[in-house]
Amino acid sequence: MTQLFEVATPDTALLRGVTESAHSPLRAQNNVVRLQGISRRFGHTQALRDVSLTLQKGEILGLIGRSGAGKSTLIRCLNGLEQPDSGVIEIEGRNITGLSEKQLQAVRSRVGMVFQHFNLLSAKTVAQNVALPLKIAGMDKAQRQQRVAELLELVGLADKAQHYPAALSGGQKQRVGIARALAASPALLLCDEATSALDPETTRSILALLKSLNQKLGITILLITHEMEVIKSVAHRVAVIDGGEIIEHGPVWQVFADPQSAVTRTLLRGLLPQLPDNLAARLSQQKQGEVIYCVHAAGDDAQGDLLTRFAAALPGKFRLLQGGVEHIQHYAVVRFFIALPASNIADEQQILSWLHTQQAQVERVGYVASHD
């Protein structure tokens, strides 16, 4: 079992927002979305269980979870396609739970939707696809044309207005989808696996576009995905959903630095330094050979090149096995693995003491029988 030696971080509940005061007057004014105690069951399946979240004006929240975790049900509740069994959903302060289909139409005009597979009409041009929600809303032709031109310029497709979807690349189709979702100037943009059907390079360009739109328009974005790399690229906060429950929630940099749940650690596995496979396969909890530690630090505690200072302070006391520094949301996130002789208790205590003074977290992950 992993043993935790230090958890010397600022107040976790405050930083992670788990107990955020969503009901304070100032925060309430800024809330574009407030979910309180949302539950939804389909037969014997509990799709959502007591979900509470807020999205403030101008922020990007990443909602991440594996297939079947509840992401799709949550987004369908947000756009009114599903009604929760219990709880409250507010969009810009208006409770949408229990509204009729006619009443929901006004709410949906404030919510734009970007789909995984674009959902463009193949028989209509790019301009016609983007204009469709404006036409349905009753906007006159001249205004529609002006708005469509503005939107296509915004997403970098001004020269594709008269093309049909079949002539576009996947990334271009998604840009059309984003332009259409922005047509009615919504307060909230829901992106449902918006990059899952795209190659890595195109994904980066779409994420850069979403980030730019967030900054230029101040639009609030809920980004639903199963890819932690997507969250890392653009989101301000992340909520991890599993089994219909929010199991972890907080600023992206801090969740990356110190994931609390096994699910989050699994989702992060490809993005954070890991113990080399040859050592991981030989790990034991029986004291022998070398003891292996994992060291975490983030934010101010990770500044000033922690690893370099560590090596300078304690030369020859340990072996560096794996590690690195990430910069997420302007915060440094450090994670590295070290090994030292299990028999040298004095050096072990000196190392732990020094790391403690640096406000680092240290996990003893096990022992290996011999020097590799």
Side-chain angles (χ1 to χ4, degrees):
M1 180 180 295
T2 298
Q3 184 171 352
L4 186 64
F5 283 83
E6 281 297 329
V7 187
T9 58
D11 188 283
T12 302
L14 177 63
L15 280 171
R16 290 186 176 250
V18 174
T19 57
E20 66 179 86
S21 179
H23 300 289
S24 69
L26 180 61
R27 291 185 70 92
Q29 289 174 10
N30 289 328
N31 286 344
V32 174
V33 175
R34 185 175 77 91
L35 306 177
Q36 185 65 42
I38 297 299
S39 294
R40 183 73 170 102
R41 177 184 288 275
F42 300 99
H44 297 294
T45 302
Q46 188 76 48
L48 296 174
R49 189 192 306 272
D50 195 27
V51 172
S52 296
L53 277 175
T54 60
L55 278 84
Q56 290 189 282
K57 185 176 181 180
E59 82 165 327
I60 303 175
L61 174 67
L63 179 68
I64 188 166
R66 296 175 292 195
S67 179
K71 304 188 301 295
S72 295
T73 302
L74 184 60
I75 205 169
R76 288 175 64 83
C77 287
L78 269 173
N79 60 24
L81 295 176
E82 292 282 354
Q83 286 290 333
D85 298 323
S86 60
V88 173
I89 301 173
E90 291 181 357
I91 306 291
E92 295 186 297
R94 182 179 183 182
N95 186 353
I96 72 168
T97 48
L99 294 184
S100 67
E101 186 62 28
K102 184 176 182 180
Q103 290 171 321
L104 279 170
Q105 289 177 7
V107 176
R108 287 185 182 133
S109 70
R110 302 294 296 149
V111 180
M113 187 81 189
V114 181
F115 301 92
Q116 178 180 0
H117 295 295
F118 323 129
N119 286 22
L120 303 180
L121 298 176
S122 60
K124 292 187 178 293
T125 66
V126 164
Q128 289 169 338
N129 268 280
V130 175
L132 188 59
L134 301 175
K135 187 174 182 179
I136 293 171
M139 183 180 287
D140 68 56
K141 186 174 180 179
Q143 287 180 306
R144 288 202 309 269
Q145 290 176 335
Q146 181 178 347
R147 178 63 176 156
V148 168
E150 292 170 354
L151 289 164
L152 292 180
E153 181 70 32
L154 189 63
V155 301
L157 291 179
D159 61 336
K160 303 293 184 183
Q162 300 310 312
H163 287 62
Y164 287 87
L168 305 180
S169 67
Q172 290 170 335
K173 289 176 184 178
Q174 194 57 288
R175 287 172 181 267
V176 177
I178 292 170
R180 181 184 57 191
L182 294 173
S185 300
L188 173 67
L189 191 63
L190 301 178
C191 298
D192 188 10
E193 299 281 7
T195 60
S196 294
L198 305 174
D199 62 70
E201 184 178 354
T202 306
T203 290
R204 286 191 289 272
S205 72
I206 293 299
L207 293 176
L209 174 61
L210 290 173
K211 191 172 183 177
S212 173
L213 293 172
N214 168 256
Q215 293 169 346
K216 288 178 181 177
L217 307 179
I219 191 168
T220 303
I221 300 176
L222 177 60
L223 198 64
I224 289 88
T225 183
H226 64 277
E227 300 172 286
M228 194 61 92
E229 181 68 54
V230 170
I231 301 293
K232 174 188 166 186
S233 298
V234 296
H236 303 125
R237 287 189 297 133
V238 60
V240 183
I241 187 168
D242 189 61
E245 297 182 79
I246 302 298
I247 60 170
E248 193 155 0
H249 175 210
V252 172
W253 71 269
Q254 193 178 3
V255 172
F256 268 68
D258 184 24
Q260 299 294 295
S261 74
V263 170
T264 308
R265 288 192 289 272
T266 298
L267 291 168
L268 282 169
R269 187 166 181 81
L271 298 179
L272 294 177
Q274 303 294 323
L275 191 66
D277 290 342
N278 66 317
L279 288 176
R282 294 164 44 210
L283 274 179
S284 167
Q285 295 307 311
Q286 181 179 351
K287 188 172 182 178
Q288 58 186 320
E290 290 184 306
V291 58
I292 310 295
Y293 286 103
C294 180
V295 181
H296 312 255
D300 292 339
D301 300 327
Q303 299 297 334
D305 200 343
L306 173 66
L307 186 52
T308 299
R309 289 185 287 111
F310 183 34
L314 298 161
K317 302 285 188 180
F318 64 90
R319 287 197 304 131
L320 177 65
L321 302 173
Q322 184 76 284
V325 182
E326 285 272 5
H327 287 85
I328 303 171
Q329 297 176 325
H330 310 295
Y331 291 94
V333 176
V334 177
R335 176 181 167 94
F336 57 89
F337 292 85
I338 59 172
L340 60 150
S343 59
N344 195 330
I345 297 174
D347 280 357
E348 185 175 359
Q349 290 303 316
Q350 187 181 8
I351 285 171
L352 295 178
S353 177
W354 190 91
L355 290 169
H356 173 76
T357 66
Q358 304 303 306
Q359 307 300 310
Q361 298 178 60
V362 185
E363 292 179 42
R364 188 173 67 203
V365 296
Y367 300 87
V368 291
S370 61
H371 188 98
D372 189 89

